[in-house]
Amino acid sequence: MEGPTLMPSVKSACFVIIHITIWIIVPQLCHSPVQATFGTTPNIKHIVIGRCFTYTTLVQPGLRYDCEEIWMQFEKAVVQQSSCNVTEEHYFEMFNMMPQIWPCDSFLFWSKTRMLMHRYAAVFSHFWTLEDTLVGYLFNDLIWCGQEEDSDFDFNYCPAWSTCRTHPVYSLWKQASQNFAEMACGNITVLLNGSIVNAFNRKSMFGSVELDSLNPQRVNYVNIKVVTNLEGPHMFRQRVEIKQVVWIIQIDSCSQGSIIELIQILWTRGFRWTCTESDLTLVILQCIQDLNQPRCQMLANSLLQQKDLTST
Ligand SMILES: *[C@@H]1O[C@H](CO)[C@@H](O)[C@H](O)[C@H]1NC(C)=O
Ligand SMILES: *[C@@H]1O[C@H](CO)[C@@H](O)[C@H](O)[C@H]1NC(C)=O
Ligand SMILES: *[C@@H]1O[C@H](CO)[C@@H](O)[C@H](O)[C@H]1NC(C)=O
């Protein structure tokens, strides 16, 4: 199902800069849903315990976890701490309650490709993402923080991730991501967004935690798949000094931009890797949402032609 795979060789670099002095406004941290204006997600206890029973009863039956105990350890880690002072260590006991093993060749990592990743993982059901693990399933999309003087969560206000180093939400995801990456074995897949300035971002969860936690002894191949928006290169309106506006047309690809940095890191650490920009499954999944794109029309025509050829 794979399109032409690109090894270190060169490929069309279409990086057009229509002006010199640019300042690229790099987006803040990772895939964070947490905003400063919200407090802890209402009914968090019922949600987490409910998800835990759903997971252990329906999603992964056969696994035995103590959902009530997991909740208690979670609560213990978070409440009565100042909302910016919860480290990964605080969650150690909770993580000890939920050990999990995944089969090799099934680990899927992603950065800034969340929607597409979900569709991809739905097609290839053998893939595991962090969200499929028990901890990922329990805490996905939730916000929480404690308050120093109180033995309850703060339902009125939680700080944004970027305002503190040891945010309770960030620390949990950081530890979960690290555990997940440390377990990764066999071939792993990384889905990156080639339509943004830093497809590989050292500040993302993948770039800052997961990559460093991968073990070259356990991982056979790192298969990078770069996806770009169907409309073609993404246009960025950049602010420059002296109030000028420049347009940058950029694609981060296997042979250009931040992905080269990723490949260099992989190479230095002794990983084998491949990188492709034209994974047919991914293109088809994108086209399902927007068949009218010229690229999809071309693809549809070529697929239909093939059908004609085989039936004659
Ligand atoms: C953060 O936690 C440490 C130890 O867990 C404690 O010594 C420190 O006073 C706490 N800081 C704040 C601001 O609560
Ligand atoms: C890439 O990132 C842009 C900007 O965040 C987003 O609009 C687009 O949907 C992403 N592409 C994919 C394939 O996820
Ligand atoms: C692992 O990836 C390499 C390179 O893409 C490929 O040749 C090999 O068949 C893959 N093995 C498995 C088990 O998927």
Side-chain angles (χ1 to χ4, degrees):
M1 274 308 245
E2 289 213 351
T5 294
L6 194 80
M7 294 300 278
S9 70
V10 220
K11 205 188 168 190
S12 63
C14 46
F15 185 79
V16 186
I17 301 178
I18 318 175
H19 203 276
I20 7 162
T21 31
I22 321 139
W23 277 29
I24 296 168
I25 305 142
V26 181
Q28 282 276 333
L29 264 174
C30 352
H31 28 76
S32 136
V34 180
Q35 280 160 25
T37 43
F38 298 109
T40 302
T41 309
N43 304 311
I44 188 167
K45 180 174 181 180
H46 296 290
I47 295 173
V48 171
I49 294 181
R51 283 180 178 180
C52 183
F53 281 113
T54 304
Y55 192 88
T56 54
T57 310
L58 301 173
V59 181
Q60 292 283 312
L63 294 178
R64 293 274 159 268
Y65 294 103
D66 187 336
C67 293
E68 306 274 354
E69 185 61 26
I70 289 171
W71 171 260
M72 273 166 52
Q73 293 299 340
F74 171 70
E75 199 174 30
K76 208 173 99 188
V78 177
V79 299
Q80 279 185 313
Q81 309 280 352
S82 97
S83 58
C84 261
N85 206 15
V86 179
T87 63
E88 291 110 276
E89 286 78 25
H90 284 95
Y91 291 111
F92 278 178
E93 287 189 49
M94 184 196 76
F95 277 101
N96 284 339
M97 306 282 315
M98 40 169 95
Q100 218 173 349
I101 297 171
W102 298 276
C104 291
D105 300 314
S106 63
F107 287 72
L108 179 61
F109 297 86
W110 55 278
S111 192
K112 301 269 187 202
T113 48
R114 185 173 174 160
M115 301 271 279
L116 188 62
M117 172 277 291
H118 279 139
R119 280 184 266 148
Y120 191 62
V123 173
F124 294 107
S125 50
H126 70 278
F127 273 129
W128 282 88
T129 67
L130 185 55
E131 292 176 29
D132 299 309
T133 67
L134 176 60
V135 65
Y137 192 88
L138 297 193
F139 296 104
N140 203 6
D141 290 332
L142 303 182
I143 298 171
W144 63 89
C145 65
Q147 41 195 334
E148 219 164 350
E149 325 74 39
D150 198 340
S151 57
D152 201 357
F153 291 87
D154 191 335
F155 289 98
N156 294 316
Y157 172 84
C158 289
W161 283 22
S162 48
T163 56
C164 44
R165 280 223 155 268
T166 49
H167 191 288
V169 177
Y170 178 75
S171 297
L172 183 140
W173 284 115
K174 189 172 176 220
Q175 188 61 46
S177 303
Q178 186 182 323
N179 293 349
F180 185 66
E182 279 171 357
M183 296 268 303
C185 52
N187 279 6
I188 67 164
T189 306
V190 184
L191 224 55
L192 297 178
N193 187 334
S195 290
I196 56 174
V197 174
N198 281 319
F200 170 66
N201 185 347
R202 259 305 201 178
K203 287 190 184 148
S204 68
M205 204 55 104
F206 175 71
S208 65
V209 178
E210 291 166 339
L211 177 62
D212 295 332
S213 305
L214 293 174
N215 180 348
Q217 255 84 57
R218 292 170 59 85
V219 172
N220 189 20
Y221 268 95
V222 178
N223 293 323
I224 305 163
K225 293 175 194 291
V226 185
V227 275
T228 46
N229 293 348
L230 293 171
E231 310 87 70
H234 206 274
M235 299 281 264
F236 293 96
R237 206 158 177 246
Q238 304 286 5
R239 274 201 309 136
V240 284
E241 299 136 20
I242 347 173
K243 286 187 185 156
Q244 277 172 299
V245 170
V246 291
W247 292 90
I248 303 178
I249 306 164
Q250 178 182 352
I251 306 178
D252 260 17
S253 67
C254 292
S255 55
Q256 124 179 359
S258 59
I259 294 170
I260 296 186
E261 190 196 335
L262 168 61
I263 288 169
Q264 263 159 5
I265 293 170
L266 291 173
W267 189 80
T268 314
R269 291 194 53 213
F271 287 101
R272 285 185 288 183
W273 56 272
T274 64
C275 185
T276 177
E277 295 148 18
S278 48
D279 186 282
L280 185 57
T281 309
L282 287 168
V283 175
I284 290 174
L285 284 172
Q286 285 177 292
C287 283
I288 287 171
Q289 295 242 306
D290 196 356
L291 249 180
N292 291 325
Q293 289 293 335
R295 199 170 158 197
C296 301
Q297 295 285 316
M298 270 159 54
L299 181 69
N301 288 340
S302 73
L303 290 174
L304 291 174
Q305 262 167 19
Q306 275 174 23
K307 186 168 171 264
D308 287 346
L309 282 177
T310 48
S311 53
T312 47

